[in-house]
Amino acid sequence: MRTYSFLTVLLWSCMFHAIHMMPSQKRTNKHSRSERITGLSENGGKTLHRTKRGWMWNQFFLLEEYTGPDTQYVGKLHTDQDKGDGNLKYILTGDGAGSLFIIDENTGDIHAAKKLDREEKSLYVLRAKAIDRKTGRQVEPESEFIIKIHDINDNEPKFTKDMYTASIPEMSGVGTSVIQVTATDADDANYGNSAKVVYSILQGQPYFSVDPETGIIKTALPDMSRENREQYQVVIQAKDMGGQMGGLSGTTTVNITLTDVNDNPPRFPQSTYQFSSPESAPPGTPLGRIKANDPDVGENAEIEYSISNGDGSDMFDIITDKDTQEGIITVKKRLDFENKMLYTLRVEATNTHPDPRFLQLGPFKDTALVKISVEDIDEPPVFSRPWYLIEVDEDAKEGSIIGHVVAQDPDITKNAIKYSVDRHTDLDRIFNIYSGNGSLFISKPLDREETPWHNITVIATEINNPKQSSQIPVFIRILDINDHAPEFAKYYETFVCENAKAGQLIQTVSAVDKDEPPQGHKFFFELVPEFAVHPNFSIIDNKDNTAGIVTRRNGYSRSKMSTYLLPIIIFDNDYPIQSSTGTLTIRACACDSWGNMQSCNAEALLLPAGLSTGALVAILLCIVILLVLVVLFTALKRQRKKEPLIMSKDDVRDNIVTYNDEGGGEEDTQAFDIGTLRNPEAREESKMRRDVIPETIFQIRRTAPLWENIDVQDFIHRRLKENDLDPAAPPYDSLATYAYEGNDSIANSLSSLESLTTEGNQDYDYLSDWGPRFKKLADMYGGEDSDRD
């Protein structure tokens, strides 16, 4: 840095010395020369004058990061107008003027006041002017000049990432590109080699290499195997100054992963496997697992297992577990120890995604031998069929054999077997079986119309080992016989209009039969022989299991005959032929001109003409409404005659007396108004007691006003005394608690019954004169004995 500063000072000194030696006309700025019009002649001619500027300046250069003891000298501004007498003043404006760049206003010398960083700002544009101190005017037009910062190598290369991640397939060839790393240098690329970066590898050899100019990392060894090593860490260095000594450098780390390729075939760890299976194992039962090892991963390690050959290829199967890549050997068909005790299979494991590039390494499959031994067990009896179907006529006799079931012990011992019917499937015990030979027979009569199918279960059990049993479903179908006669399909409500004409169809009838003949139902209709020629109606068989009822004359009178009975015989065509007689009831009715029935009752003839059923209903409804209105009016009129006991809400009393009240006991306190006790002035002394008949011979006693004393306790005692002395007060036996305890005292009972013992006995004999209802009260209040009772 000292060398650079010395050279700079020397360079500026030489340059300024050369500039001072130049003639004044040579010291003008070629960029600042301009032509100016100074005047016009009268004939329009032009006179041009060149203004000569005497600035001494040029494009200035500074070194960044100057660390010298003094401020860095930039250059000098000078004009030819400066006579050295101090009349001119130099002013500097623009980027950093006054802060970064300071000018001596007398001499025009410019210095850099601070250390400059080219990477922060590489170019400063400033403007300079010279001003006459006395007049304040510019002696030269303002001029612009540039200060450029020369770069030094003060920034090391930096990679775009602190860590790179890359992957490459294993077994890749030498020179295969892996990833490109990039480093940048903040120094000036156009000035020296400060920003010229060269890449080199510090760690990762001999597996990888890096291109020194582009930063592309490539493989350096052939056939790198993921199974041997999967992860590599490579350290790359970027150095400026073209990699020369003294350059700055930076490093980054590249993590490289070898991805898997299918370059390894599956291999069984052993050549023979052995398994066993009980002969009772159902199809689909897993017997064991085998696995071929494949060092590859992912889909390259996926294996498909199959049975290539062997004497048990039709008895067993193998499936692949996709999660564990294991082969699961399962039972394909029922095994029989008595038939074959040992099976041999050859199982093959094959890669599902082979890579053609590595087929030359060998076949990507392997085989192993699997031996399966069958274990003998005590098996239950086996029926000859999976289910049985038996058909029997519904008229079969009790005890008739309807079918057979056959079962046998599959074991070598061939134990004897007995048969039975599962009674849960035959609760009515209609069927039974001979335990020795499996013959089914009927125990009760059959009825197809009631139950057309019977589903029972037959059980076969070994006699020597009752635990060994098996069962089989037996489906018994009851065959139909023609044992039911046909009958009308429904109940027909048939009528004939009084104005009906001969040959008019009044009803179509059909029939049903509980039997089900194989050829389908075929019914025939005809009148009973006694009515073969009916004077009023005839029947026409429509040949489609229906028949029509037709009138034979004109006009039918309800007054003469209101109901006609027409017996009809219905035949079927099955063997033996069954028949039944059904009677059709035909009523004579009044109809309108369109044949719609209006009335079929004979009483309707007595009603006036033109009065329909709807009109009668309306009349009856009106009568009922009138009766209801009369009853309601009478009830309201009687209600008005009764006057309520208390008419005004202002009538404040301590009791509402009802003479049919038997008292509510000691808890009956709802009849008292404690608000009246708290405010005695609210009492209305002029009110009469409404619980006393006005016509009574006793005079209503008025109590003294209590306005001067509002103590509740005193008020209660006075009211108690008034009621004890008032013969017109009703004899209540309820005890009311006013919840007043007073000061330092406990409230006593306020019952009038109890107060009699303290105030003295009174004469209540007059109660006996009131009648038998008050005699009991006279006895209760009459003497000391009654009080004690």
Side-chain angles (χ1 to χ4, degrees), residues 501-543:
K501 303 298 182 181
Q504 182 176 340
L505 177 66
I506 63 173
Q507 184 69 63
T508 301
V509 297
S510 61
V512 293
D513 193 336
K514 295 181 179 179
D515 297 321
E516 291 184 358
Q519 305 300 327
H521 290 293
K522 183 64 178 177
F523 302 121
F524 304 95
F525 303 86
E526 64 180 37
L527 296 176
V528 297
E530 293 80 1
F531 297 90
V533 181
H534 199 280
N536 297 313
F537 305 98
S538 63
I539 186 170
I540 299 176
D541 195 337
N542 297 326
K543 308 300 182 181

mmCIF file of all heavy atoms in Angstrom, residues 501-543:
data_model
loop_
_atom_site.group_PDB
_atom_site.id
_atom_site.type_symbol
_atom_site.label_atom_id
_atom_site.label_comp_id
_atom_site.label_asym_id
_atom_site.label_seq_id
_atom_site.Cartn_x
_atom_site.Cartn_y
_atom_site.Cartn_z
ATOM 1 N N LYS A 501 -130.944 -51.806 -17.316
ATOM 2 C CA LYS A 501 -131.493 -52.433 -18.516
ATOM 3 C C LYS A 501 -131.006 -53.873 -18.596
ATOM 4 O O LYS A 501 -130.007 -54.244 -17.986
ATOM 5 C CB LYS A 501 -131.049 -51.669 -19.764
ATOM 6 C CG LYS A 501 -131.423 -50.190 -19.758
ATOM 7 C CD LYS A 501 -132.932 -49.990 -19.713
ATOM 8 C CE LYS A 501 -133.283 -48.494 -19.760
ATOM 9 N NZ LYS A 501 -134.756 -48.286 -19.696
ATOM 10 N N ALA A 502 -131.699 -54.648 -19.349
ATOM 11 C CA ALA A 502 -131.323 -56.052 -19.551
ATOM 12 C C ALA A 502 -129.991 -56.126 -20.302
ATOM 13 O O ALA A 502 -129.746 -55.343 -21.214
ATOM 14 C CB ALA A 502 -132.418 -56.795 -20.296
ATOM 15 N N GLY A 503 -129.118 -57.095 -19.882
ATOM 16 C CA GLY A 503 -127.822 -57.275 -20.522
ATOM 17 C C GLY A 503 -126.746 -56.355 -20.008
ATOM 18 O O GLY A 503 -125.657 -56.293 -20.580
ATOM 19 N N GLN A 504 -127.016 -55.635 -18.928
ATOM 20 C CA GLN A 504 -126.040 -54.693 -18.381
ATOM 21 C C GLN A 504 -125.103 -55.418 -17.430
ATOM 22 O O GLN A 504 -125.525 -56.177 -16.560
ATOM 23 C CB GLN A 504 -126.772 -53.562 -17.658
ATOM 24 C CG GLN A 504 -125.846 -52.497 -17.102
ATOM 25 C CD GLN A 504 -126.616 -51.350 -16.494
ATOM 26 O OE1 GLN A 504 -127.795 -51.157 -16.785
ATOM 27 N NE2 GLN A 504 -125.956 -50.592 -15.634
ATOM 28 N N LEU A 505 -123.746 -55.189 -17.577
ATOM 29 C CA LEU A 505 -122.740 -55.789 -16.705
ATOM 30 C C LEU A 505 -122.695 -55.000 -15.389
ATOM 31 O O LEU A 505 -122.456 -53.798 -15.386
ATOM 32 C CB LEU A 505 -121.359 -55.761 -17.368
ATOM 33 C CG LEU A 505 -120.191 -56.301 -16.530
ATOM 34 C CD1 LEU A 505 -120.359 -57.800 -16.290
ATOM 35 C CD2 LEU A 505 -118.861 -56.029 -17.242
ATOM 36 N N ILE A 506 -122.945 -55.707 -14.296
ATOM 37 C CA ILE A 506 -122.957 -55.026 -12.996
ATOM 38 C C ILE A 506 -121.773 -55.422 -12.117
ATOM 39 O O ILE A 506 -121.485 -54.743 -11.143
ATOM 40 C CB ILE A 506 -124.279 -55.312 -12.253
ATOM 41 C CG1 ILE A 506 -124.401 -56.815 -11.961
ATOM 42 C CG2 ILE A 506 -125.475 -54.796 -13.045
ATOM 43 C CD1 ILE A 506 -125.574 -57.146 -11.090
ATOM 44 N N GLN A 507 -121.055 -56.519 -12.417
ATOM 45 C CA GLN A 507 -119.952 -56.946 -11.577
ATOM 46 C C GLN A 507 -119.074 -57.932 -12.338
ATOM 47 O O GLN A 507 -119.573 -58.743 -13.115
ATOM 48 C CB GLN A 507 -120.454 -57.598 -10.285
ATOM 49 C CG GLN A 507 -119.357 -57.998 -9.309
ATOM 50 C CD GLN A 507 -118.677 -56.794 -8.691
ATOM 51 O OE1 GLN A 507 -119.307 -56.022 -7.990
ATOM 52 N NE2 GLN A 507 -117.403 -56.615 -8.960
ATOM 53 N N THR A 508 -117.755 -57.840 -12.098
ATOM 54 C CA THR A 508 -116.799 -58.825 -12.603
ATOM 55 C C THR A 508 -116.126 -59.476 -11.408
ATOM 56 O O THR A 508 -115.583 -58.783 -10.547
ATOM 57 C CB THR A 508 -115.750 -58.172 -13.511
ATOM 58 O OG1 THR A 508 -116.400 -57.542 -14.619
ATOM 59 C CG2 THR A 508 -114.755 -59.204 -14.015
ATOM 60 N N VAL A 509 -116.182 -60.801 -11.338
ATOM 61 C CA VAL A 509 -115.627 -61.526 -10.201
ATOM 62 C C VAL A 509 -114.435 -62.346 -10.661
ATOM 63 O O VAL A 509 -114.330 -62.705 -11.837
ATOM 64 C CB VAL A 509 -116.691 -62.426 -9.541
ATOM 65 C CG1 VAL A 509 -117.826 -61.608 -8.976
ATOM 66 C CG2 VAL A 509 -117.214 -63.456 -10.531
ATOM 67 N N SER A 510 -113.510 -62.590 -9.718
ATOM 68 C CA SER A 510 -112.350 -63.441 -9.978
ATOM 69 C C SER A 510 -112.161 -64.363 -8.792
ATOM 70 O O SER A 510 -112.824 -64.215 -7.757
ATOM 71 C CB SER A 510 -111.098 -62.591 -10.206
ATOM 72 O OG SER A 510 -110.818 -61.823 -9.059
ATOM 73 N N ALA A 511 -111.236 -65.336 -8.931
ATOM 74 C CA ALA A 511 -111.058 -66.358 -7.904
ATOM 75 C C ALA A 511 -109.582 -66.522 -7.596
ATOM 76 O O ALA A 511 -108.716 -66.154 -8.396
ATOM 77 C CB ALA A 511 -111.658 -67.676 -8.356
ATOM 78 N N VAL A 512 -109.317 -67.105 -6.423
ATOM 79 C CA VAL A 512 -107.961 -67.444 -5.994
ATOM 80 C C VAL A 512 -107.976 -68.868 -5.471
ATOM 81 O O VAL A 512 -109.021 -69.403 -5.075
ATOM 82 C CB VAL A 512 -107.457 -66.479 -4.908
ATOM 83 C CG1 VAL A 512 -107.272 -65.083 -5.467
ATOM 84 C CG2 VAL A 512 -108.397 -66.467 -3.717
ATOM 85 N N ASP A 513 -106.761 -69.467 -5.486
ATOM 86 C CA ASP A 513 -106.631 -70.848 -5.026
ATOM 87 C C ASP A 513 -105.295 -70.947 -4.291
ATOM 88 O O ASP A 513 -104.261 -70.472 -4.773
ATOM 89 C CB ASP A 513 -106.667 -71.821 -6.206
ATOM 90 C CG ASP A 513 -106.863 -73.263 -5.746
ATOM 91 O OD1 ASP A 513 -106.524 -73.561 -4.590
ATOM 92 O OD2 ASP A 513 -107.356 -74.069 -6.550
ATOM 93 N N LYS A 514 -105.299 -71.540 -3.089
ATOM 94 C CA LYS A 514 -104.082 -71.691 -2.315
ATOM 95 C C LYS A 514 -103.106 -72.653 -2.955
ATOM 96 O O LYS A 514 -101.907 -72.617 -2.664
ATOM 97 C CB LYS A 514 -104.418 -72.157 -0.898
ATOM 98 C CG LYS A 514 -105.220 -71.142 -0.096
ATOM 99 C CD LYS A 514 -105.482 -71.658 1.303
ATOM 100 C CE LYS A 514 -106.276 -70.639 2.120
ATOM 101 N NZ LYS A 514 -106.551 -71.140 3.489
ATOM 102 N N ASP A 515 -103.603 -73.545 -3.807
ATOM 103 C CA ASP A 515 -102.719 -74.485 -4.493
ATOM 104 C C ASP A 515 -101.938 -73.768 -5.591
ATOM 105 O O ASP A 515 -102.300 -72.668 -6.026
ATOM 106 C CB ASP A 515 -103.539 -75.638 -5.084
ATOM 107 C CG ASP A 515 -104.230 -76.441 -3.993
ATOM 108 O OD1 ASP A 515 -103.606 -76.648 -2.946
ATOM 109 O OD2 ASP A 515 -105.396 -76.824 -4.187
ATOM 110 N N GLU A 516 -100.868 -74.444 -6.031
ATOM 111 C CA GLU A 516 -100.046 -73.914 -7.117
ATOM 112 C C GLU A 516 -99.826 -75.009 -8.149
ATOM 113 O O GLU A 516 -98.808 -75.716 -8.113
ATOM 114 C CB GLU A 516 -98.699 -73.396 -6.591
ATOM 115 C CG GLU A 516 -98.813 -72.158 -5.735
ATOM 116 C CD GLU A 516 -97.455 -71.631 -5.327
ATOM 117 O OE1 GLU A 516 -96.449 -72.272 -5.697
ATOM 118 O OE2 GLU A 516 -97.379 -70.605 -4.643
ATOM 119 N N PRO A 517 -100.733 -75.207 -9.074
ATOM 120 C CA PRO A 517 -100.553 -76.257 -10.096
ATOM 121 C C PRO A 517 -99.390 -75.919 -11.017
ATOM 122 O O PRO A 517 -99.100 -74.746 -11.254
ATOM 123 C CB PRO A 517 -101.894 -76.246 -10.835
ATOM 124 C CG PRO A 517 -102.449 -74.891 -10.606
ATOM 125 C CD PRO A 517 -101.997 -74.469 -9.239
ATOM 126 N N PRO A 518 -98.697 -76.904 -11.512
ATOM 127 C CA PRO A 518 -97.546 -76.649 -12.392
ATOM 128 C C PRO A 518 -97.933 -75.881 -13.650
ATOM 129 O O PRO A 518 -97.147 -75.087 -14.153
ATOM 130 C CB PRO A 518 -97.021 -78.053 -12.722
ATOM 131 C CG PRO A 518 -97.539 -78.925 -11.624
ATOM 132 C CD PRO A 518 -98.857 -78.358 -11.216
ATOM 133 N N GLN A 519 -99.126 -76.130 -14.185
ATOM 134 C CA GLN A 519 -99.545 -75.470 -15.412
ATOM 135 C C GLN A 519 -100.229 -74.133 -15.156
ATOM 136 O O GLN A 519 -100.692 -73.501 -16.100
ATOM 137 C CB GLN A 519 -100.508 -76.391 -16.194
ATOM 138 C CG GLN A 519 -99.956 -77.768 -16.493
ATOM 139 C CD GLN A 519 -98.691 -77.707 -17.341
ATOM 140 O OE1 GLN A 519 -98.546 -76.813 -18.181
ATOM 141 N NE2 GLN A 519 -97.770 -78.650 -17.128
ATOM 142 N N GLY A 520 -100.321 -73.720 -13.926
ATOM 143 C CA GLY A 520 -100.987 -72.461 -13.613
ATOM 144 C C GLY A 520 -102.460 -72.657 -13.330
ATOM 145 O O GLY A 520 -103.061 -73.710 -13.621
ATOM 146 N N HIS A 521 -103.093 -71.665 -12.761
ATOM 147 C CA HIS A 521 -104.504 -71.740 -12.394
ATOM 148 C C HIS A 521 -105.388 -71.556 -13.621
ATOM 149 O O HIS A 521 -105.082 -70.770 -14.516
ATOM 150 C CB HIS A 521 -104.844 -70.660 -11.358
ATOM 151 C CG HIS A 521 -104.224 -70.921 -10.014
ATOM 152 N ND1 HIS A 521 -104.585 -71.971 -9.227
ATOM 153 C CD2 HIS A 521 -103.245 -70.243 -9.324
ATOM 154 C CE1 HIS A 521 -103.881 -71.945 -8.102
ATOM 155 N NE2 HIS A 521 -103.041 -70.904 -8.150
ATOM 156 N N LYS A 522 -106.504 -72.324 -13.586
ATOM 157 C CA LYS A 522 -107.546 -72.175 -14.599
ATOM 158 C C LYS A 522 -108.875 -72.391 -13.903
ATOM 159 O O LYS A 522 -109.157 -73.485 -13.409
ATOM 160 C CB LYS A 522 -107.349 -73.184 -15.733
ATOM 161 C CG LYS A 522 -108.364 -73.046 -16.855
ATOM 162 C CD LYS A 522 -108.230 -71.696 -17.558
ATOM 163 C CE LYS A 522 -109.224 -71.573 -18.718
ATOM 164 N NZ LYS A 522 -109.164 -70.253 -19.361
ATOM 165 N N PHE A 523 -109.688 -71.318 -13.831
ATOM 166 C CA PHE A 523 -110.947 -71.386 -13.105
ATOM 167 C C PHE A 523 -112.119 -71.294 -14.083
ATOM 168 O O PHE A 523 -112.023 -70.644 -15.139
ATOM 169 C CB PHE A 523 -111.040 -70.242 -12.085
ATOM 170 C CG PHE A 523 -109.912 -70.237 -11.087
ATOM 171 C CD1 PHE A 523 -109.067 -69.142 -10.958
ATOM 172 C CD2 PHE A 523 -109.708 -71.336 -10.269
ATOM 173 C CE1 PHE A 523 -108.039 -69.145 -10.042
ATOM 174 C CE2 PHE A 523 -108.677 -71.332 -9.338
ATOM 175 C CZ PHE A 523 -107.839 -70.242 -9.230
ATOM 176 N N PHE A 524 -113.237 -71.955 -13.655
ATOM 177 C CA PHE A 524 -114.488 -71.942 -14.421
ATOM 178 C C PHE A 524 -115.596 -71.503 -13.487
ATOM 179 O O PHE A 524 -115.627 -71.907 -12.303
ATOM 180 C CB PHE A 524 -114.802 -73.327 -14.992
ATOM 181 C CG PHE A 524 -113.687 -73.879 -15.856
ATOM 182 C CD1 PHE A 524 -112.733 -74.727 -15.313
ATOM 183 C CD2 PHE A 524 -113.600 -73.535 -17.198
ATOM 184 C CE1 PHE A 524 -111.707 -75.227 -16.091
ATOM 185 C CE2 PHE A 524 -112.575 -74.049 -17.979
ATOM 186 C CZ PHE A 524 -111.625 -74.900 -17.435
ATOM 187 N N PHE A 525 -116.536 -70.700 -13.992
ATOM 188 C CA PHE A 525 -117.639 -70.154 -13.201
ATOM 189 C C PHE A 525 -118.967 -70.571 -13.832
ATOM 190 O O PHE A 525 -119.108 -70.538 -15.069
ATOM 191 C CB PHE A 525 -117.557 -68.614 -13.154
ATOM 192 C CG PHE A 525 -116.262 -68.083 -12.613
ATOM 193 C CD1 PHE A 525 -115.152 -67.891 -13.433
ATOM 194 C CD2 PHE A 525 -116.134 -67.777 -11.262
ATOM 195 C CE1 PHE A 525 -113.969 -67.396 -12.929
ATOM 196 C CE2 PHE A 525 -114.940 -67.286 -10.763
ATOM 197 C CZ PHE A 525 -113.856 -67.088 -11.597
ATOM 198 N N GLU A 526 -119.952 -70.936 -12.980
ATOM 199 C CA GLU A 526 -121.310 -71.231 -13.457
ATOM 200 C C GLU A 526 -122.261 -71.152 -12.271
ATOM 201 O O GLU A 526 -121.834 -71.211 -11.107
ATOM 202 C CB GLU A 526 -121.381 -72.621 -14.094
ATOM 203 C CG GLU A 526 -121.096 -73.763 -13.146
ATOM 204 C CD GLU A 526 -121.184 -75.113 -13.842
ATOM 205 O OE1 GLU A 526 -120.780 -75.211 -15.017
ATOM 206 O OE2 GLU A 526 -121.636 -76.064 -13.166
ATOM 207 N N LEU A 527 -123.524 -70.964 -12.592
ATOM 208 C CA LEU A 527 -124.532 -70.917 -11.544
ATOM 209 C C LEU A 527 -124.810 -72.317 -11.019
ATOM 210 O O LEU A 527 -124.610 -73.314 -11.715
ATOM 211 C CB LEU A 527 -125.819 -70.288 -12.067
ATOM 212 C CG LEU A 527 -125.726 -68.802 -12.506
ATOM 213 C CD1 LEU A 527 -127.042 -68.352 -13.098
ATOM 214 C CD2 LEU A 527 -125.321 -67.924 -11.342
ATOM 215 N N VAL A 528 -125.273 -72.409 -9.774
ATOM 216 C CA VAL A 528 -125.627 -73.716 -9.212
ATOM 217 C C VAL A 528 -126.771 -74.302 -10.035
ATOM 218 O O VAL A 528 -127.556 -73.561 -10.658
ATOM 219 C CB VAL A 528 -126.001 -73.573 -7.731
ATOM 220 C CG1 VAL A 528 -124.828 -73.079 -6.915
ATOM 221 C CG2 VAL A 528 -127.188 -72.624 -7.564
ATOM 222 N N PRO A 529 -126.876 -75.583 -10.089
ATOM 223 C CA PRO A 529 -127.928 -76.193 -10.948
ATOM 224 C C PRO A 529 -129.333 -75.700 -10.629
ATOM 225 O O PRO A 529 -130.174 -75.552 -11.535
ATOM 226 C CB PRO A 529 -127.771 -77.695 -10.665
ATOM 227 C CG PRO A 529 -126.343 -77.840 -10.242
ATOM 228 C CD PRO A 529 -126.020 -76.595 -9.497
ATOM 229 N N GLU A 530 -129.657 -75.422 -9.353
ATOM 230 C CA GLU A 530 -131.000 -74.952 -9.017
ATOM 231 C C GLU A 530 -131.283 -73.588 -9.614
ATOM 232 O O GLU A 530 -132.446 -73.222 -9.847
ATOM 233 C CB GLU A 530 -131.170 -74.884 -7.486
ATOM 234 C CG GLU A 530 -131.141 -76.237 -6.780
ATOM 235 C CD GLU A 530 -129.728 -76.746 -6.583
ATOM 236 O OE1 GLU A 530 -128.777 -76.026 -6.986
ATOM 237 O OE2 GLU A 530 -129.552 -77.861 -6.055
ATOM 238 N N PHE A 531 -130.208 -72.782 -9.875
ATOM 239 C CA PHE A 531 -130.393 -71.448 -10.466
ATOM 240 C C PHE A 531 -129.748 -71.390 -11.841
ATOM 241 O O PHE A 531 -129.187 -70.370 -12.217
ATOM 242 C CB PHE A 531 -129.770 -70.386 -9.562
ATOM 243 C CG PHE A 531 -130.405 -70.276 -8.201
ATOM 244 C CD1 PHE A 531 -129.935 -71.024 -7.144
ATOM 245 C CD2 PHE A 531 -131.508 -69.452 -8.015
ATOM 246 C CE1 PHE A 531 -130.510 -70.917 -5.892
ATOM 247 C CE2 PHE A 531 -132.092 -69.358 -6.765
ATOM 248 C CZ PHE A 531 -131.600 -70.099 -5.692
ATOM 249 N N ALA A 532 -129.806 -72.514 -12.543
ATOM 250 C CA ALA A 532 -129.155 -72.544 -13.861
ATOM 251 C C ALA A 532 -129.742 -71.484 -14.777
ATOM 252 O O ALA A 532 -129.034 -70.877 -15.585
ATOM 253 C CB ALA A 532 -129.281 -73.928 -14.483
ATOM 254 N N VAL A 533 -131.067 -71.295 -14.655
ATOM 255 C CA VAL A 533 -131.715 -70.244 -15.434
ATOM 256 C C VAL A 533 -132.310 -69.259 -14.421
ATOM 257 O O VAL A 533 -133.423 -69.462 -13.926
ATOM 258 C CB VAL A 533 -132.800 -70.801 -16.369
ATOM 259 C CG1 VAL A 533 -133.437 -69.665 -17.169
ATOM 260 C CG2 VAL A 533 -132.220 -71.857 -17.296
ATOM 261 N N HIS A 534 -131.530 -68.251 -14.070
ATOM 262 C CA HIS A 534 -131.956 -67.274 -13.066
ATOM 263 C C HIS A 534 -132.792 -66.209 -13.753
ATOM 264 O O HIS A 534 -132.434 -65.716 -14.817
ATOM 265 C CB HIS A 534 -130.738 -66.648 -12.392
ATOM 266 C CG HIS A 534 -131.038 -65.991 -11.095
ATOM 267 N ND1 HIS A 534 -131.580 -64.736 -11.016
ATOM 268 C CD2 HIS A 534 -130.887 -66.423 -9.812
ATOM 269 C CE1 HIS A 534 -131.743 -64.406 -9.748
ATOM 270 N NE2 HIS A 534 -131.317 -65.432 -8.982
ATOM 271 N N PRO A 535 -133.929 -65.850 -13.151
ATOM 272 C CA PRO A 535 -134.808 -64.881 -13.839
ATOM 273 C C PRO A 535 -134.254 -63.463 -13.821
ATOM 274 O O PRO A 535 -134.667 -62.650 -14.647
ATOM 275 C CB PRO A 535 -136.104 -64.981 -13.033
ATOM 276 C CG PRO A 535 -135.673 -65.432 -11.676
ATOM 277 C CD PRO A 535 -134.517 -66.339 -11.888
ATOM 278 N N ASN A 536 -133.345 -63.162 -12.874
ATOM 279 C CA ASN A 536 -132.883 -61.777 -12.739
ATOM 280 C C ASN A 536 -131.474 -61.554 -13.292
ATOM 281 O O ASN A 536 -131.183 -60.511 -13.860
ATOM 282 C CB ASN A 536 -132.906 -61.362 -11.270
ATOM 283 C CG ASN A 536 -134.321 -61.380 -10.698
ATOM 284 O OD1 ASN A 536 -135.252 -60.860 -11.307
ATOM 285 N ND2 ASN A 536 -134.473 -62.016 -9.528
ATOM 286 N N PHE A 537 -130.544 -62.531 -13.077
ATOM 287 C CA PHE A 537 -129.144 -62.339 -13.466
ATOM 288 C C PHE A 537 -128.618 -63.592 -14.158
ATOM 289 O O PHE A 537 -129.149 -64.698 -13.964
ATOM 290 C CB PHE A 537 -128.287 -62.051 -12.232
ATOM 291 C CG PHE A 537 -128.781 -60.891 -11.407
ATOM 292 C CD1 PHE A 537 -129.549 -61.130 -10.276
ATOM 293 C CD2 PHE A 537 -128.507 -59.587 -11.779
ATOM 294 C CE1 PHE A 537 -130.020 -60.082 -9.507
ATOM 295 C CE2 PHE A 537 -128.959 -58.548 -10.995
ATOM 296 C CZ PHE A 537 -129.722 -58.787 -9.862
ATOM 297 N N SER A 538 -127.569 -63.407 -14.904
ATOM 298 C CA SER A 538 -126.865 -64.515 -15.541
ATOM 299 C C SER A 538 -125.362 -64.282 -15.383
ATOM 300 O O SER A 538 -124.925 -63.161 -15.128
ATOM 301 C CB SER A 538 -127.248 -64.630 -17.019
ATOM 302 O OG SER A 538 -126.856 -63.459 -17.719
ATOM 303 N N ILE A 539 -124.561 -65.346 -15.553
ATOM 304 C CA ILE A 539 -123.108 -65.269 -15.415
ATOM 305 C C ILE A 539 -122.449 -65.649 -16.728
ATOM 306 O O ILE A 539 -122.887 -66.588 -17.410
ATOM 307 C CB ILE A 539 -122.609 -66.164 -14.255
ATOM 308 C CG1 ILE A 539 -121.103 -65.940 -14.036
ATOM 309 C CG2 ILE A 539 -122.938 -67.628 -14.490
ATOM 310 C CD1 ILE A 539 -120.618 -66.597 -12.760
ATOM 311 N N ILE A 540 -121.411 -64.893 -17.085
ATOM 312 C CA ILE A 540 -120.685 -65.141 -18.337
ATOM 313 C C ILE A 540 -119.222 -65.389 -17.967
ATOM 314 O O ILE A 540 -118.572 -64.524 -17.375
ATOM 315 C CB ILE A 540 -120.806 -63.948 -19.299
ATOM 316 C CG1 ILE A 540 -122.269 -63.697 -19.657
ATOM 317 C CG2 ILE A 540 -119.974 -64.171 -20.550
ATOM 318 C CD1 ILE A 540 -122.486 -62.467 -20.532
ATOM 319 N N ASP A 541 -118.705 -66.585 -18.282
ATOM 320 C CA ASP A 541 -117.300 -66.922 -18.021
ATOM 321 C C ASP A 541 -116.429 -66.257 -19.092
ATOM 322 O O ASP A 541 -116.594 -66.495 -20.289
ATOM 323 C CB ASP A 541 -117.114 -68.447 -18.034
ATOM 324 C CG ASP A 541 -115.774 -68.852 -17.413
ATOM 325 O OD1 ASP A 541 -114.854 -68.012 -17.394
ATOM 326 O OD2 ASP A 541 -115.662 -69.996 -16.946
ATOM 327 N N ASN A 542 -115.496 -65.428 -18.660
ATOM 328 C CA ASN A 542 -114.646 -64.695 -19.596
ATOM 329 C C ASN A 542 -113.446 -65.501 -20.073
ATOM 330 O O ASN A 542 -112.650 -64.990 -20.858
ATOM 331 C CB ASN A 542 -114.137 -63.412 -18.937
ATOM 332 C CG ASN A 542 -115.255 -62.453 -18.585
ATOM 333 O OD1 ASN A 542 -116.264 -62.375 -19.316
ATOM 334 N ND2 ASN A 542 -115.125 -61.740 -17.475
ATOM 335 N N LYS A 543 -113.283 -66.726 -19.607
ATOM 336 C CA LYS A 543 -112.175 -67.618 -20.006
ATOM 337 C C LYS A 543 -110.805 -67.084 -19.599
ATOM 338 O O LYS A 543 -109.783 -67.527 -20.120
ATOM 339 C CB LYS A 543 -112.180 -67.861 -21.528
ATOM 340 C CG LYS A 543 -113.518 -68.324 -22.097
ATOM 341 C CD LYS A 543 -113.972 -69.637 -21.467
ATOM 342 C CE LYS A 543 -115.298 -70.112 -22.082
ATOM 343 N NZ LYS A 543 -115.762 -71.370 -21.455
#
